[in-house]
Amino acid sequence: MSIDRNQLTEVIGGTVYGSDGDKIGQVGQVYLDDVTDQPEWVTVQTGLFGTKETFIPIAEAQFDNGDVRVPFDKSKVKGAPNVDAEQGHLSREEEEELYRYYGLDYSRQTSDSDGADDVDTTRTAGLTDPTAGRDAASEGYDTSGPTTDDAMTVSEERLEVGTQSREAGRARLRKYVVTEQQNVTVPVSREEVRVEREPITDANVGAAMSGPDISEEEHEVVLREERPVVAKETVPVERVKLSKDTVTENVEVSEDVRKERVETDGIETDRNTGDDRR
């Protein structure tokens, strides 16, 4: 919604955003039209320490939850003509110059006092940002949001790297049975028959004559032999188990981290000392 006179206390100190969404600065003062008594300009504190106040027309500005959104980008606002905001009013020449810079038509109702070049056309509403009374030469303050302290904190992200244990895999031992053929050489013995003949001598004549003179007889001998016999027994041959070893190695971790940097605006560097000076 557009800005009206009833919202002045809410607008003062609010944050101004440009058409590109970038934060421009903080509202310092509101200037009212002498004829309509409605808000026409706001000043925005810019520069590194918020020491410069730049005028922005708010005819097409929108006010929402403490934020003022204007149809100009940050670079356009920062390049606006330098008008002293401490004087409490804008002259016709100053207002015409500002309107030309922002590409707006300078058309307005004339008051009874119009016609003279030095007649004031807009005036401050008398309300200012609570930080406006600070000594900008010796103390800085926050121009982009609620007032904090006189210094800017610069932060950065740092990696905190640790380790986390997780399951990487599993190893198993599995026992199974295979059948293979073994060849073993075993010595075996057997008996074979052999016929022995001996002549009749004085030593065996008695045995030879002991039987009948003529008869039929049969003699036999038992022959024996060995055959391989196979028996199997189960015997333990070794013990197998799983053990774990811990191996440590270095792993490189990459991650993006954000760091805040400070850039200066409106500060010149002393070439002899390298110090930043206003």
Side-chain angles (χ1 to χ4, degrees):
M1 59 182 176
S2 58
I3 302 173
D4 59 36
R5 207 184 191 302
N6 297 327
Q7 298 170 317
L8 296 185
T9 56
E10 300 176 48
V11 173
I12 296 296
T15 302
V16 179
Y17 291 90
S19 58
D20 52 4
D22 285 348
K23 184 188 300 182
I24 297 177
Q26 192 173 9
V27 176
Q29 302 182 64
V30 178
Y31 275 62
L32 306 179
D33 186 283
D34 281 342
V35 176
T36 65
D37 205 33
Q38 291 299 315
E40 188 171 359
W41 302 88
V42 294
T43 64
V44 178
Q45 298 166 341
T46 59
L48 181 60
F49 299 110
T51 55
K52 178 184 177 182
E53 286 191 85
T54 304
F55 281 82
I56 306 177
I58 56 174
E60 300 178 7
Q62 298 294 318
F63 181 67
D64 182 26
N65 294 327
D67 296 335
V68 179
R69 302 187 181 275
V70 296
F72 313 102
D73 59 28
K74 186 175 183 178
S75 60
K76 182 70 174 180
V77 173
K78 291 181 69 173
N82 188 15
V83 178
D84 185 10
E86 297 298 327
Q87 62 186 356
H89 64 268
L90 287 177
S91 65
R92 179 183 297 277
E93 292 81 2
E94 291 171 334
E95 194 168 22
E96 287 179 346
E97 182 182 10
L98 287 170
Y99 267 110
R100 282 194 302 270
Y101 175 78
Y102 284 107
L104 301 175
D105 293 332
Y106 182 66
S107 58
R108 48 177 286 117
Q109 297 178 357
T110 57
S111 62
D112 294 339
S113 58
D114 282 346
D117 290 342
D118 58 350
V119 173
D120 302 339
T121 60
T122 55
R123 70 187 189 283
T124 180
L127 303 174
T128 58
D129 179 20
T131 61
R134 296 191 177 192
D135 182 3
S138 61
E139 180 180 359
Y141 56 91
D142 194 345
T143 64
S144 59
T147 301
T148 53
D149 54 22
D150 59 354
M152 180 184 295
T153 301
V154 179
S155 303
E156 68 179 25
E157 294 178 335
R158 294 184 178 179
L159 293 181
E160 296 182 1
V161 181
T163 60
Q164 182 181 28
S165 178
R166 66 181 181 89
E167 182 177 311
R170 296 192 179 190
R172 295 182 179 88
L173 279 180
R174 184 170 59 87
K175 185 172 67 171
Y176 58 96
V177 177
V178 296
T179 301
E180 63 181 12
Q181 189 174 42
Q182 291 185 348
N183 296 321
V184 181
T185 301
V186 180
V188 295
S189 61
R190 69 178 183 276
E191 296 175 336
E192 294 181 350
V193 68
R194 182 177 72 254
V195 177
E196 294 182 1
R197 297 174 183 273
E198 59 184 26
I200 301 297
T201 64
D202 291 341
N204 62 12
V205 67
M209 298 297 291
S210 63
D213 292 338
I214 300 295
S215 65
E216 292 182 2
E217 293 185 19
E218 239 181 48
H219 277 213
E220 70 176 18
V221 67
V222 177
L223 301 176
R224 305 190 67 82
E225 69 178 1
E226 293 179 339
R227 291 186 177 181
V229 177
V230 177
K232 292 185 288 186
E233 65 173 329
T234 302
V235 295
V237 293
E238 67 177 340
R239 296 273 292 166
V240 181
K241 65 178 180 179
L242 292 176
S243 298
K244 296 191 297 183
D245 294 326
T246 300
V247 179
T248 301
E249 62 182 4
N250 294 327
V251 177
E252 184 174 336
V253 179
S254 298
E255 184 63 41
D256 294 334
V257 295
R258 297 178 300 169
K259 296 183 179 181
E260 296 178 339
R261 294 289 185 258
V262 175
E263 65 177 9
T264 60
D265 185 6
I267 294 181
E268 297 181 356
T269 301
D270 192 315
R271 295 184 178 179
N272 297 324
T273 65
D275 294 336
D276 292 335
R277 301 182 182 276
R278 179 65 181 172

